[in-house]
Amino acid sequence: MKALMFGWEFPPHILGGLGTASYGLTKGMALQPDMEITFVMPKPWGDEDQSFLRLIGACHTPVVWKDVNWDYVKERVGKYMDPQLYYDLRDHIYADFSYFPTNDLGCIGFSGRYPENLLEEINNYSIVAGVIARTIECDVIHSHDWLTYPAGIHAKTVTGKPLVIHVHATDFDRSRGQVNPTVYGIEKDGMDHADHIITVSNLTRNTVIEKYHQDPRKVTTVHNAVEPMSPEVEAIESKKGTSDKVVTFLGRITMQKGPEYFVEAAAKVLSKTEKVRFVMAGSGDMLDQMIRLAAQRKISDRFHFTGFMKGTQVYEVLKSSDVYVMPSVSEPFGISPLEAMQCGVPTIISKQSGCAEILNNAIKTDYWDIEAMADAMYSIINYSGMAEYLKIEGKNEVDQITWEKAGWKVRAIYDQVLNR
């Protein structure tokens, strides 16, 4: 089985859960003996793990023919891919794109992030997808999230192969209902062209069916999972450095993640006890607002804003925490609670999160119910028996939620669309 996947992020350079999920799923699927995955992304950095898949950068795919010798190509792209692949791709340029600004290899530049000209990069990515789809043999095409749906549609048009799209989030989640019509249009177009739609939760599945008017028979939930902890991560020790309890929020500080409810609940906890500190780890457009809110509630001396965390920093923060809280307003899934529970950290999640569908040993509250959230925080930090139960049973539970199992569910969907 040969899968041609289009993604936007891949570890270690990630800006959110999309990259983590893309890595976990592909690694889990690679355990299937006959699975070959080619994963396309806008801009690789050269330090990605390619031991279980082939990675192609859109930024290394020529769309304008250039007469360049092997040694020069090897010098320029050898860190990222086999130079021969560059020539194979060059042989499949399908139109005159000389009006595009390209580099000395005839390739379009990509930021690898979410720039102001994101829609332009999405369009350019779909053009490059046409070259890749004409070059790489595949049985099925798999597009991760809305940024890659146009690329998947183009690849399907070129190859005639079935298209599976993976909905990691919708604009209804990101915007609290203030949907961007352009983004909605791209999402809806991807869903309409897809042979099958994978959603990361039943919460997201319902949104796809109701808001995007999709046939329920072609929408299947495959819940996300968590990577087993590496020996390096296992070895990370707590750097707490205080006898106070530590309660942590870790994620993008944006409207979708409900950071204001975390601050308000923290204020209620601090009205009952002073022996607790709160950490807000992450960055986002609401960061300054949260700093001001903490000051207004007169709890700034108990609050720590760390900025964006990645890699081992995430686990250092988690292992130094006594409680992890994810108060998301609308969370398609939410992998971070699984990572926290994996570290043995008692966890509180909102009922409005996809992971709440599969987690039994986490406390669940409505995101808006700051009284209940504060009570849960207070109970965990004050009752050692409760904390110990959640620590042990939570870890036991998430250890059974593996990407390999998720990968087999995706494989069944591949088989279904191919047999159809």
Side-chain angles (χ1 to χ4, degrees):
M1 175 74 73
K2 294 177 179 171
L4 175 58
M5 285 195 187
F6 292 96
W8 203 261
E9 293 184 20
F10 202 80
H13 303 274
I14 60 172
L15 297 167
L18 178 60
T20 303
S22 297
Y23 178 83
L25 180 63
T26 51
K27 195 170 184 183
M29 292 182 72
L31 296 172
Q32 299 168 25
D34 65 337
M35 180 61 67
E36 294 179 28
I37 299 171
T38 298
F39 191 93
V40 184
M41 61 187 296
K43 182 180 178 179
W45 300 89
D47 53 357
E48 293 84 2
D49 180 3
Q50 295 195 47
S51 62
F52 56 91
L53 47 60
R54 171 170 54 181
L55 207 60
I56 297 179
C59 64
H60 302 135
T61 300
V63 296
V64 174
W65 201 96
K66 298 286 185 177
D67 187 9
V68 282
N69 67 49
W70 177 277
D71 290 338
Y72 186 69
V73 172
K74 184 176 181 181
E75 178 188 332
R76 295 277 276 105
V77 304
K79 176 183 176 183
Y80 308 99
M81 67 183 190
D82 182 349
Q84 182 58 49
L85 180 55
Y86 168 85
Y87 293 104
D88 294 342
L89 292 163
R90 192 182 67 172
D91 289 342
H92 290 88
I93 296 171
Y94 58 93
D96 180 8
F97 295 112
S98 58
Y99 58 92
F100 269 86
T102 58
N103 64 12
D104 54 346
L105 295 178
C107 304
I108 300 172
F110 289 87
S111 67
R113 294 180 174 272
Y114 300 88
E116 288 187 5
N117 67 330
L118 181 58
L119 292 175
E120 181 185 343
E121 289 213 353
I122 291 169
N123 181 64
N124 291 349
Y125 188 64
S126 71
I127 289 170
V128 172
V131 175
I132 294 170
R134 287 169 168 84
T135 309
I136 305 300
E137 184 184 337
C138 69
D139 299 302
V140 64
I141 298 154
H142 189 150
S143 283
H144 290 276
D145 228 27
W146 71 279
L147 308 125
T148 75
Y149 296 167
I153 293 169
H154 191 172
K156 175 183 177 177
T157 303
V158 168
T159 63
K161 302 296 184 181
L163 170 64
V164 174
I165 69 163
H166 209 126
V167 183
H168 294 265
T170 71
D171 209 46
F172 285 90
D173 302 301
R174 292 182 290 266
S175 66
R176 280 197 197 172
Q178 301 298 312
V179 176
N180 180 319
T182 303
V183 176
Y184 177 87
I186 293 171
E187 291 177 328
K188 177 101 170 45
D189 197 38
M191 294 176 196
D192 290 345
H193 280 86
D195 294 273
H196 207 87
I197 301 167
I198 297 173
T199 58
V200 295
S201 63
N202 292 323
L203 185 75
T204 305
R205 182 176 184 270
N206 290 337
T207 300
V208 166
I209 293 166
E210 294 169 11
K211 303 292 188 183
Y212 295 84
H213 316 296
Q214 298 300 308
D215 184 344
R217 291 173 297 181
K218 83 168 194 177
V219 190
T220 301
T221 295
V222 177
H223 289 103
N224 284 337
V226 67
E227 270 281 291
M229 283 200 292
S230 67
E232 293 77 20
V233 171
E234 291 271 15
I236 293 172
E237 295 184 4
S238 169
K239 296 183 178 180
K240 191 172 169 183
T242 176
S243 60
D244 291 344
K245 299 293 185 180
V246 175
V247 181
T248 297
F249 169 109
L250 192 152
R252 283 180 291 117
I253 305 175
T254 61
M255 184 169 58
Q256 179 190 351
K257 303 296 182 179
E260 68 270 37
Y261 302 103
F262 179 75
V263 177
E264 296 289 7
K268 292 192 174 294
V269 173
L270 287 165
S271 69
K272 297 180 182 179
T273 178
E274 292 185 351
K275 294 186 178 298
V276 56
R277 296 175 184 268
F278 293 86
V279 173
M280 185 165 274
S283 60
D285 58 9
M286 288 181 70
L287 175 58
D288 290 346
Q289 187 180 334
M290 292 305 100
I291 293 171
R292 289 195 298 272
L293 181 59
Q296 288 165 9
R297 296 293 177 264
K298 297 181 170 55
I299 58 174
S300 295
D301 61 326
R302 296 272 110 189
F303 245 87
H304 304 266
F305 295 91
T306 68
F308 181 72
M309 296 280 181
K310 66 177 183 178
T312 56
Q313 293 175 319
V314 170
Y315 288 98
E316 287 172 1
V317 170
L318 291 176
K319 291 196 174 191
S320 301
S321 303
D322 296 285
V323 185
Y324 177 75
V325 184
M326 187 184 75
S328 296
V329 174
S330 179
E331 186 71 53
F333 185 79
I335 292 175
S336 58
L338 278 67
E339 294 172 332
M341 293 165 73
Q342 199 176 39
C343 292
V345 182
T347 296
I348 301 166
I349 57 178
S350 73
K351 292 178 181 177
Q352 291 72 29
S353 59
C355 62
E357 297 169 9
I358 62 169
L359 293 177
N360 297 311
N361 292 291
I363 295 180
K364 304 169 192 177
T365 69
D366 288 303
Y367 72 86
W368 44 263
D369 194 343
I370 56 174
E371 296 282 357
M373 199 182 301
D375 285 346
M377 293 179 190
Y378 185 84
S379 297
I380 294 170
I381 62 178
N382 280 283
Y383 302 112
S384 58
M386 180 181 185
E388 191 65 15
Y389 177 86
L390 290 171
K391 174 181 178 178
I392 293 170
E393 294 305 320
K395 178 166 173 47
N396 288 341
E397 181 175 28
V398 297
D399 284 347
Q400 303 305 312
I401 303 172
T402 68
W403 282 114
E404 184 177 5
K405 292 176 184 175
W408 280 110
K409 292 176 183 177
V410 171
R411 174 58 181 269
I413 291 166
Y414 287 0
D415 290 338
Q416 179 185 329
V417 296
L418 287 167
N419 290 335
R420 187 184 304 150

